[in-house]
Structures are given as structure tokens and as C-alpha cells.
Amino acid sequence: MSVVETWIAAFLTLCIFSFLYRDNPFYRFAEHLFVGVAAGYLLAVQYQDVIVPNVWMPLVAGPHTPRSIFLALIPAVLGVLMLARVWERMAGPARWAIAFYVGIYSGIAVPGYLQGQIFAQLSDAVKPFAPGWGAINSALVLLGLLTVLAYFFFSAPHRGIHGAGARIGTWFLMVAFGASFGYTVMARVSLLISRVQFLLRDWLHLIPTT
Amino acid sequence: MGAELDTRWFDPARTNLLVGLLLFLTFLAINVLRAKRGGSIYIRPLAGLKALDEAIGRATEMGRSILYMPGLGSMEEVGTLASITIVSRVARKVADLGCSMQVPCYDPVVMAIIDGVVREAYLEAGRGDEFKPGSVHYVSAQQFAYVAAVSGIMLRERPAANVFMGSFYAESLFLAETGNLTGAIQIAGCDKVTQLPFFVCACDYTLMGEELFAASAYIGREPIQLATIAAQDWAKALAAAMIVAAIALSALGHPELGRLLHTS
Amino acid sequence: MRSGPVILTFLVGTALIALFFIPHHKAQAINAELLVWATVIYAFALILGSISLWNTHARKIRLKTEGWPYSLVTLFALVVVTALGVWQGVGEGTVVSRIYNMVNSPLASTMFALLAFFIASAAFRAFRARNVEATLLLVTAVLMMIGRVSIGEFIWKGFPGFTEWLLDVPNLAAKRAIAIGVGLGAVSIGLKIILGIERGYLGRSR
Amino acid sequence: MSWMARILAIDRRVIFVLVGLGTAIPLLWPVNLPITVTPRVEAAYQTIEALPAGSTVLISMDYEPDTMAELQPMSIAVLRHCFRRNLKLIVITLYPAGPGLVEPALRLAAAAEGKERNKDYAFLGYKSGFQAVMIALGESIRQQFPVDFYKTPLDSIPILRGVNSYSKIDLVINLTASTAADYWIQFAASRYHKPLILGVTAVMATDYYPYLSSRQILGLVGGMKGAAEYEKRMDIFGDARRGMDAQSLVHVIIAGLVILGNAALLTTRKTA
């Protein structure tokens, strides 16, 4: 990065760090600039990567065949219906575009989660117990799995055996959350280290490059 | 060399998934019929949703608004679909009490959907004119630009309650910790396991994983919706039983059941 | 008027579920085409979203609500970056990609870095041994934190191994159970929407 | 308010200052906390150490700025080790934003070990296609990379003369934060039977332990801690060891705060 770019990046970095003290004009400026540039960037990306190849080319500029025009027209019409929501009375027709969109992603989700979440975890969970001492760990994993499932049971109150199982389940949950929390600290601190290195080395040249 | 064009009308490797789907549909059908015939369906209380009711009431008394964040998932994330079903019930409660709700959105399609949902809720509650256009608004489809803007809203507009419902990622801690600073009551529901520890630590109530999906049925209390939760429980019991059976059988030298669950 | 869209959701949803099970190349071609259509709708929705963003900030400026000058920054950036991006593109070497690397990258990575501070303040406030569950949470988190840095290894040789055990046994068990539950919840909500049991997304809470 | 109660109600900005100092101080004035080299990192080190001088190594650095903190110091340490062993390096990246990181890392490592571009290493730059590139390298490197990152044709680069596919490569090293690792295992190791070393982020490392025990990979460097161990093994003091000092300090600060908070809670509960 050139010197000017480094100074701009350093200024914006400090604007965000100032949020730790409290909400202030520098943070507010950086926030509003961030939202504006991000919105413009994403809009331009969608225009270049989606609108031009899938709407502009087949319908206007590019080579047309009746089939390509028809295939490009349907999504374009649904898209325009979505866009028409700008005017309140067009909220009704826009429901067709919403229904199509929700239908697509519900239809993807049902088999997708069935395979990727349910069956993938089940086929992992049914692996035979590890030999020797490992069997204790396998038993603990099974116990944890069953008790956490018991905790998530909706149609039975947490009472009696089911209640005891659910209680053990919460202990497994808490240990799992504690482990996951502690495990994440290093990744977050790494990000802070690289920002502080950017300020101390690239901007202020206080740390030698290795 | 042209790749071999697949002309099969069914992928046999996915038979087990089809069986699973049909089983679930059967559980769903049985329970929905049970509900239609007036069978009462018990569902254990969810503390987070009781707190949500109270939070809406308190916000109304204090004349302050509710901040509802539908998550940073696009429609590919089912947590987002769950959040939409939840906000449709929350909006109705908010409209009934004449409270105000702001919904900053990450995904533009979700914004269009929720805008329609909230507008409709106010109409149904007979307060069509009280709906503030722009209360459901797009902020940014970039993760941390969204976080920067919503943190600003939390600190400057001081909503009485922050409601996080949907798929959240690394930003969950940023939003929940900033919200905690403002003293607002915070209720979260998230399906992303890695983010649950942060919501549990920084929010007053947290709906964990599957509880996010059950929430919309809870708030609405419609019998048919509760029936779908019962269907989920039946499937869960079946899954637990199959795991135990498969492990026991494979220990006795018959790993077939386990292999049935294998997916390509 | 309302039942039309619900039927469309049913047809499209069922089609997508069926296409999951049909490897036939013509079927997969339809599948791919439908997904392209969804991305086109998203693109138009993003334009709608950007108009919503414009209105939010234009309203602040018009009504001179507190902090309206900042909204000028957002609208200016939005117009400039959109115009440049549409005109010149956003790839490597374009003006927009330089702006993005100079503005959004440092802002995003610094926002991300703030999490290191928030994880500390959240830990200090939330990790209080009020009951058995809270104690388990904080003890595990502290052991995991210490075990993953060189100091932990210095205190006890077996610390890294123990932290891996925490991930391989209790964490795995709970994660797996939650994943199964989420999977069931997802399938349930997907089917409810496709079958028309759940119509909240069309603005009908009943 | 008793001393203990004041701790419980501490302003979070005091905690922020502590975390900020805990990060900045070790970066400016290294504390050089003790680091023990774990077997997985030692295995990676020995694999490179065992290569005879002049062997050719293919290094694919598939990561982007967001995981730079963990992987950039690791790359520099591994590159310096290869240079110190007088190995011939062919470096590529499968990520569009890769060159922006790989190129400076190569320049730093080469300068530190007195090595020259084209004589000791060649940087072929970025090529899209992910798995397709990995497979194609089995047939012909030139077909995938007709020219190097600096637009010089491969044939005029000394160390690439006679090297046109995996057959001439003695070791593959993949430094990545993504699923590229899985594909390198599948293609380089399983299909073309090339020895493979992995360098990944801390979050991913545990997922690849099984591949090490099954010898599909010969060494595994995980996260900033792994990179710090590699630096210690190389006897150099890079960003990883500075970073690990900061990590240790901040982790101890957070753990200490939690313990302090609970100590305060216990005493106030007793007196209350």
C-alpha cells in the first residue's frame, strides 16, 4: 500500500478503535462511510455479475433466441415485481416474487439439511465404540448426545428421569460452550494482533519487519 | 471426450434420505390430524419467549421501541426463514399494543418480506396508519458494515429490547456486548452452534438451536403449528433410538444399520 | 389473491425437493436455471434495498434529525462507488477495488479485531460461579484458554491434550445433538412453508 | 463500596485497556516466553530437513488477508527453512488475493536467507480452478502457468528447466485456511503419491490430526502457536513468536480477570 493509503487505513482503524471508549464523531463518520461504500460496492458487483449477464445480455444486447429471451424474461419480471415494492400499492404483486424465492430456498433446505445436518451427524454418531480406553470417550460422547437431545425435547416437561437426563444435558452444553468460547479467544486475539502490527509496523515503523 | 450424461430418474444412493423425508412427512401428517381433531398438544415453556412478551409490554409502557435483528443469513440459511416466521407473530403483538419496532436488515429480500409482514400486522390490528414506512430498512449486505450501523442504532436510539433471531456469525458477540452496554433487555435465538456461547453470556435469554425453529409455533399457539413440533420430537426420539440400536448391533457384529445412515 | 403465491411456493418447493433426488442431466439443468433466477431476483432486491438505504438517510437529511450530516457521507459514498462500479467494473485494478481495499478492508478487519476486547469484557461479566452450570461454563473456558497457549503447556505438559479432549468429547457430543435438532427444525420449517402450514412470510400470522 | 465490590462493578474500558496493552507491549518489547516444539511441528521440520539440497518443492499458499495473522509468519518461517536447506521452490496460490501476501513473504524470506528469484525460487502467481489446477499440475505445469507472476516465460527460469509435473517434485507444502488442504491431500498425496506437509489455522488444525496419524500428511503446523514453534525450531524471532507472547499475555489477562471476578463474588457473598 502507498503511504497515503496506509495513512487513510490507519485513520479509519483508529476511528473504529475509538468506539471502545464510546460512540463519537470519528466512529460515526467511519460507520457511515463503511455503509455507503459497502452498499455501492455490492450494488456494482450484482450489476456486473448478475444483471448484465442474466438480464441485459439475453434480453437486450446479446445474441437472442426465442428460448433465451423467454428464459431470461421470467426472472426479470419476478425481479421487477420485487423492485416495484418501492410503491406501496405494488406490495401485492411482489408476493409472487417472494413466493418463488421462498419456495426455492425452502426446497433446497429440506433435503440439504436432511443430508448435511441430520444424516451426516447420525452416520457419524453410529460409528462403533473405539477399542480399549477409547471406549470410555465413545460412551461419554453417546451419553452427552442422548442427554442434550433429551434437553431439547419439547413435548415432555423436564421432570423425572427425563428431567434428570435433561439436567445432565445442560452440563454437557455448558462444558461445550465453555470449550467453544475459550477456543475462540485465540482467533479473535490473532485479529487484534494483526491490526496492532499494522499500526505499529506499517504505519509507525516501530516494529522491524522480520 | 464428452462426460457421460446421467439419465437416471432417481439416485439410489439417496434412498435413505427419501425414506427419512417420507417418515418425517408421516409424523407431520399424524400430528396435524391429531391437532385438527382437537387433541391437546403439550409443549414445555420456553423462558425466552415469555420474556419477549414482557419486553414488548414494558417497551410499550416506556414508549420506547423494539430492535428486531433477523440475522445475517441470507435465505439459504433456514435460521432466516425461522426469523421471518417469528417476526410475523412479534409484529402482530407489537401492533396490537401500539408499540413501535425497527428491523434493520442484512439481506434485501428478507427486508422486502418483513416489510410486508409488519405492514400487514398493523393493518390486521386496525392500526394501519401507525405503521412507520422505513421502520423495516436495508442496512448492508456486508457483515461488519451492518454491525457498525446497528451498533450505532443501539447506542443512539436506545431501544428498550434487542431481539436477535436467526443465523448470526462472528458478529454475534459484537452486537450482544454493545446491546448489553445500553441496558436493554436482550433475547436471542440462533441456530449457529459456535455463536451460542456468546449469546448465552451476553443476553438475558437465549433460544438454542432447535428452539429458534420452535419459537414461531410457540408465540402463535396455533394447534397445527404445535403439531409440527410434536413431529420433530417423534423424529428426535427415532434418531436417538436408531443411534443406540446401531451402536449396540455393530458391537454384536452387525454394522448394517449404521451403514444405512451413510450418505454419499 | 393470497392463495396464488402459496401455491407457487408449494410448486417450486416440491420441484426443488424432487430435483435433489433426480440426477438426470436435464433435471439438473432445470435446477441450475432456477437457482440463476433466484440470483436475479436477489439482484433486483438489492436495488430495492439500496433505495431503502437512500430513503433512510435522505429522510434524516430532509428532517434535519440529529446527526444528519453523517448521512451525507453515506449517500455520497453510495452514489460515487455505485457509479464507478457500474461504469468501470469492480475487478482487480479498478478504482472501486482500490477504494474497497483502502476503506472496507481496514474497517472490517478492525471491527473484527474489536471482538478480542468484547470477548474479555463478556468473559469478566458473564463467568460468575452463581450455579453449577455457570461454574462448569467458566471453569471449562478458563482451562481451554490457558491450555491453548505456551504458558499452559509450561504449567502442565498434558494441558494441550486435555483441551483437545474437551473438543473431541463433550463439545462434539453437544454440537452433534444441537446439529441434529437444528436439522430437524430446518426440515420441519421448510416443509411447513412448502405445504402452506406456515404463511407468515406472506404477512398472514394466522 | 468495599474494594471487592468495586472490582465487580469495574468499568469495561479498564478491561479494554488491559487487553490493548497485553497485545501491544509484547509486539514492541518481546517477552520471549518459553515455547516447546510439539511432535506435529517437529515432523514437518524433519521432513524438510531430510530433503537433499537441490530438491524441488512445490508450495501452494492458499489464504487471504483475513487469516494473515496466523499464516503469514508460518509461511515466512517455512520458506526460510527451505531456502536454508538450498531447496528449489516453486510457489503458487489458488486465491485471487493470494499474490498480495505471497509475494512480500517470498521477498522477505529470500532476503533473510540471501536467495534470488528464478535461481532459487519461482513465483508463478494465482490460477483459478482450485482442484482443476491441482490435478493439471500432474500433467503439465506450463499448461497451467505459461508465464510466472512477473510475466517471464517458464522456460527462461533456471530452476524450472526440466521440471514440468509432479514427477519432478520431491515435496508439496500447502499453507491454507480453507478446504484447499483436503483437495491437496486427495490429489497431491493420494493420487500422485507426493509427500505433503500442511500449515493451517488453529481452528482447522484438530480436523487434520487423523491424516497425520494415517501418514497421508507428513507434518502439520497449526495456527500461530505452530508457527511460533517453527520459528523457535528455526531459531528465528518472527511475528509468530511475538504474536504468541501477546496471545499468552491476553489469555492470562482474561483468565485472571475471570478468577478475580469470582474471588470478589465469593468474598462479597460471604460478607453480605
Side-chain angles (χ1 to χ4, degrees), chain A residues 23 28 31 152-155, chain B residues 44 119 148 156 233 236:
Chain A
D23 185 21
R28 252 177 129 163
E31 169 203 324
F152 278 113
F153 231 71
F154 292 109
S155 24
Chain B
R44 70 175 166 85
R119 202 185 290 268
R156 292 166 210 142
D233 273 354
K236 216 178 302 170

Side-chain angles (χ1 to χ4, degrees), chain B residues 190-242:
Chain B
C190 182
D191 61 340
K192 295 298 167 193
V193 174
T194 46
Q195 303 313 318
L196 288 178
F198 303 115
F199 279 131
V200 165
C201 287
C203 291
D204 303 291
Y205 297 91
T206 304
L207 302 179
M208 293 189 276
E210 199 183 341
E211 293 172 342
L212 170 71
F213 296 99
S216 59
Y218 265 78
I219 306 173
R221 295 312 288 181
E222 301 129 38
I224 294 179
Q225 297 292 342
L226 298 181
T228 61
I229 295 180
Q232 274 172 246
D233 273 354
W234 286 21
K236 216 178 302 170
L238 177 65
M242 280 186 75

Side-chain angles (χ1 to χ4, degrees), chain B residues 107-194:
Chain B
D107 181 290
V109 176
V110 172
M111 177 208 77
I113 293 173
I114 295 183
D115 182 75
V117 163
V118 176
R119 202 185 290 268
E120 189 77 23
Y122 274 88
L123 283 175
E124 268 179 33
R127 294 172 183 264
D129 48 357
E130 282 180 38
F131 170 73
K132 287 198 280 296
S135 55
V136 179
H137 57 100
Y138 166 77
V139 170
S140 176
Q142 185 181 0
Q143 179 185 23
F144 277 102
Y146 177 87
V147 171
V150 171
S151 300
I153 294 172
M154 280 181 181
L155 292 173
R156 292 166 210 142
E157 298 177 22
R158 296 273 161 166
N162 296 329
V163 182
F164 310 84
M165 289 289 171
S167 299
F168 289 84
Y169 302 91
E171 76 289 339
S172 61
L173 177 62
F174 196 114
L175 292 171
E177 193 60 12
T178 306
N180 183 285
L181 191 69
T182 67
I185 179 166
Q186 301 209 119
I187 299 151
C190 182
D191 61 340
K192 295 298 167 193
V193 174
T194 46

Side-chain angles (χ1 to χ4, degrees), chain C residues 76-152:
Chain C
F76 176 75
L78 172 61
V79 168
V80 166
V81 172
T82 308
L84 282 173
V86 166
W87 170 52
Q88 206 195 26
V90 289
E92 207 51 41
T94 59
V95 173
V96 166
S97 90
R98 279 175 74 88
I99 292 175
Y100 190 82
N101 293 333
M102 197 171 56
V103 171
N104 280 42
S105 294
L107 285 176
S109 50
T110 310
M111 288 285 289
F112 220 133
L114 289 195
L115 285 171
F117 295 97
F118 290 143
I119 213 165
S121 60
F124 178 71
R125 192 191 57 253
F127 287 168
R128 295 285 162 74
R130 286 181 297 273
N131 51 45
V132 172
E133 283 75 14
T135 310
L136 278 173
L137 180 74
L138 83 91
V139 167
T140 315
V142 169
L143 292 177
M144 176 58 87
M145 274 190 261
I146 297 299
R148 279 176 53 73
V149 281
S150 8
I151 290 233

Side-chain angles (χ1 to χ4, degrees), chain A residues 83-102:
Chain A
L83 188 53
R85 281 195 98 264
V86 176
W87 297 286
E88 239 177 85
R89 41 185 174 67
M90 287 301 285
R95 275 202 192 87
W96 292 93
I98 287 172
F100 176 85
Y101 200 85
V102 167

Side-chain angles (χ1 to χ4, degrees), chain D residues 76 79-80 83 104-117 120-121:
Chain D
I76 293 170
L79 287 171
R80 287 186 64 172
F83 284 139
L106 268 169
R107 236 182 315 109
L108 272 169
E113 300 293 332
K115 295 293 176 184
E116 273 172 60
R117 187 159 63 80
D120 301 298
Y121 72 91

Side-chain angles (χ1 to χ4, degrees), chain C residues 174-187:
Chain C
K175 245 194 219 178
R176 181 171 289 163
I178 293 175
I180 291 173
V182 163
L184 289 172
V187 168

